[in-house]
Amino acid sequence: MSKVMTDEGLDLIFRGARTHTVWLDKPVDDALLKQVYDLARMGPTSANMCPMRVVFVKSKEAKEKLKPALDAGNVDKTMAAPVTAIIGMDVHFYEQLPKLFPHVDAKAWFKDLPESVLEYIALRNSSLQGAYFMLAARALGLDCGPMSGFNNAKVDAAFFAGTSVKSNFLCNLGHADPSRLHPRSPRLSFDEACRIV
Ligand SMILES: Cc1cc2nc3c(=O)[nH]c(=O)nc-3n(C[C@H](O)[C@H](O)[C@H](O)COP(=O)(O)O)c2cc1C
């Protein structure tokens, strides 16, 4: 078996992958969403804390619940997307550490930290997991449309009330219409963004 990904795979998840906003009316099976999560969960997090929690907003009723929290520019594309994943983070991720990192008492490292520090840690690690999630979705043939243009407090009240989970970002998922994309914006070159020391 080759130890590097094929060019076709690299095109699928990086070079040819875009942020999509125009969605085809093609459903996404729940089984595929489960496959996306099952791949994404394998990516590394600090002390294997896995703080990401995902709500897949799929039904008309749930989409209507999300709608008032969206920035105006994100409403139409989100309502048209077959699925919108709310990428959340459990700020009390340490409760799962006896299961997720069982060889030491890792819960003790985190449980008494201030909420703001816990949130900072959860944000870093759930953002990483959110990126793994998008790569997994693309690898399985789904298109992604990540968004941070929404009211976090409203999403938290609508979907995470009474829990220690907070929203991080949203990601529309489905099969997109590539003919409607604007040209790709430039990226920084290696020399602009990196140093080898
Ligand atoms: C965390 C995050 C938040 C974003 N928020 C929004 C948003 O609220 N609305 C939107 O239209 N695009 C949003 N974008 C899309 C970015 O503008 C887009 O990913 C970027 O320009 C790269 O586009 P490309 O993947 O097509 O090259 C967001 C992307 C990310 C990763």
Side-chain angles (χ1 to χ4, degrees):
M1 192 172 73
S2 165
K3 290 215 172 101
V4 295
M5 188 178 277
T6 60
D7 260 342
E8 202 182 13
L10 293 170
D11 285 346
L12 182 66
I13 63 173
F14 289 109
R15 294 187 288 239
R18 296 292 310 275
T19 295
H20 286 276
T21 56
V22 182
W23 301 98
L24 303 175
D25 187 16
K26 190 173 165 193
V28 175
D29 280 351
D30 291 358
L32 184 56
L33 300 177
K34 185 169 184 305
Q35 273 183 278
V36 171
Y37 176 75
D38 283 344
L39 282 180
R41 68 181 180 152
M42 303 314 292
T45 53
S46 170
N48 197 34
M49 60 178 54
C50 301
M52 181 177 74
R53 305 290 180 267
V54 185
V55 177
F56 292 102
V57 178
K58 217 177 161 186
S59 67
K60 178 108 187 80
E61 186 194 7
K63 280 287 187 81
E64 287 299 328
K65 216 165 124 181
L66 181 62
K67 194 175 176 181
L70 300 170
D71 284 3
N74 287 332
V75 171
D76 289 348
K77 54 192 160 204
T78 302
M79 298 311 279
V83 183
T84 305
I86 303 174
I87 306 295
M89 54 181 185
D90 189 350
V91 177
H92 292 175
F93 56 82
Y94 55 78
E95 296 291 0
Q96 297 291 337
L97 285 174
K99 170 183 172 171
L100 296 172
F101 207 66
H103 42 289
V104 289
D105 182 11
K107 181 175 174 178
W109 302 341
F110 299 101
K111 70 178 177 46
D112 298 319
L113 293 175
E115 287 289 298
S116 60
V117 177
L118 290 170
E119 194 166 325
Y120 179 86
I121 296 168
L123 184 67
R124 174 189 291 137
N125 285 280
S126 67
S127 297
L128 284 168
Q129 288 190 285
Y132 309 145
F133 179 95
M134 289 193 281
L135 295 179
R138 287 170 168 178
L140 292 170
L142 285 172
D143 293 309
C144 295
M147 295 169 293
S148 55
F150 68 97
N151 182 310
N152 290 74
K154 283 187 184 171
V155 167
D156 295 353
F159 292 93
F160 301 124
T163 76
S164 49
V165 179
K166 293 186 172 190
S167 51
N168 182 341
F169 70 96
L170 306 177
C171 186
N172 286 331
L173 295 167
H175 300 93
D177 179 356
S179 71
R180 310 286 294 278
L181 283 169
H182 55 76
R184 172 87 98 173
S185 297
R187 302 301 204 253
L188 296 178
S189 68
F190 182 91
D191 287 342
E192 288 171 307
C194 311
R195 284 191 298 150
I196 299 174
V197 295

